[in-house]
Amino acid sequence: MALYPTPESLSAAQKENLDAMMKLSHKAFEGVEKMVDLQLNAARTSLQETAEKFKALMSVKDAQEMVNLNKDMAAPNTEQALDYSRKIYDIATQTSSEVQRLVDAQISEANKKLIDALDEFAKTAPAGSEAVIAMMKSSLTAANSAYETANKAARQVVDMAERNMKAAAEATQKKG
């Protein structure tokens, strides 16, 4: 590893960053595609149900049948709403975890390269600079530790939100 960046190393770093951005963009786009598919399917289902309800309304023969039909139409379909919400949540969670995995890998690789560069610099550094290099490594370790702690806390919040959503869905299903 060269002590100073060369055009080749800068070009390689730029290519790596571009590849990482393309991977992130691809994962985000996959999530958007899944959401659009879900929306289109929901719209198609809603349109079909509306057409069926309209046909049923057109075939009403008496007032009692109209009252019964209105009751059926007015009843919200909580199961469909919960299923739709679950699918949205699943898509968002899956996309988020894939993006997080890619970001974590990039951060890990960048940290490894930085430590390697510090080690390489230490080999040719002037006498007396050991303390500065040690301080830089210590700062990097502390920053990584803080990142891991924040990441772990964020995952715990997501897990708790997921448990709460499942509990709410189960409670709603029991009421329905």
Side-chain angles (χ1 to χ4, degrees):
M1 175 178 232
L3 188 55
Y4 300 103
T6 63
E8 293 81 17
S9 67
L10 290 175
S11 177
Q14 190 174 26
K15 183 185 179 307
E16 287 174 14
N17 288 336
L18 183 60
D19 289 344
M21 289 299 293
M22 292 303 293
K23 286 178 186 176
L24 285 172
S25 297
H26 183 72
K27 289 299 175 189
F29 192 76
E30 282 178 3
V32 169
E33 278 183 316
K34 289 176 184 177
M35 288 288 195
V36 168
D37 286 344
L38 180 63
Q39 293 285 38
L40 288 173
N41 288 333
R44 184 179 304 115
T45 300
S46 178
L47 188 60
Q48 289 170 344
E49 288 174 357
T50 301
E52 290 168 9
K53 289 176 183 179
F54 186 72
K55 286 178 187 176
L57 275 173
M58 299 312 287
S59 66
V60 169
K61 295 181 177 85
D62 60 30
Q64 184 59 44
E65 193 177 344
M66 176 68 105
V67 169
N68 292 339
L69 189 58
N70 278 336
K71 283 182 188 177
D72 291 342
M73 286 184 189
N77 192 339
T78 56
E79 184 60 37
Q80 271 184 325
L82 284 172
D83 184 52
Y84 181 76
S85 296
R86 266 188 239 115
K87 287 177 181 175
I88 287 176
Y89 181 78
D90 288 345
I91 291 168
T93 301
Q94 180 184 11
T95 301
S96 175
S97 66
E98 289 176 14
V99 166
Q100 184 64 46
R101 182 183 53 77
L102 289 172
V103 168
D104 287 346
Q106 282 299 110
I107 289 172
S108 176
E109 183 63 24
N111 287 337
K112 182 185 176 307
K113 286 180 181 180
L114 186 54
I115 288 174
D116 289 348
L118 284 173
D119 288 342
E120 190 67 27
F121 177 72
K123 291 177 186 176
T124 59
S129 60
E130 296 84 8
V132 172
I133 293 170
M135 181 189 71
M136 291 175 73
K137 283 185 177 181
S138 176
S139 296
L140 183 59
T141 301
N144 287 335
S145 178
Y147 173 77
E148 284 298 320
T149 301
N151 210 0
K152 184 178 177 183
R155 284 189 206 121
Q156 288 173 344
V157 168
V158 169
D159 290 344
M160 184 174 55
E162 188 172 312
R163 286 192 303 272
N164 289 342
M165 183 179 166
K166 286 179 182 177
E170 288 172 7
T172 303
Q173 282 178 330
K174 288 177 184 177
K175 288 181 182 180

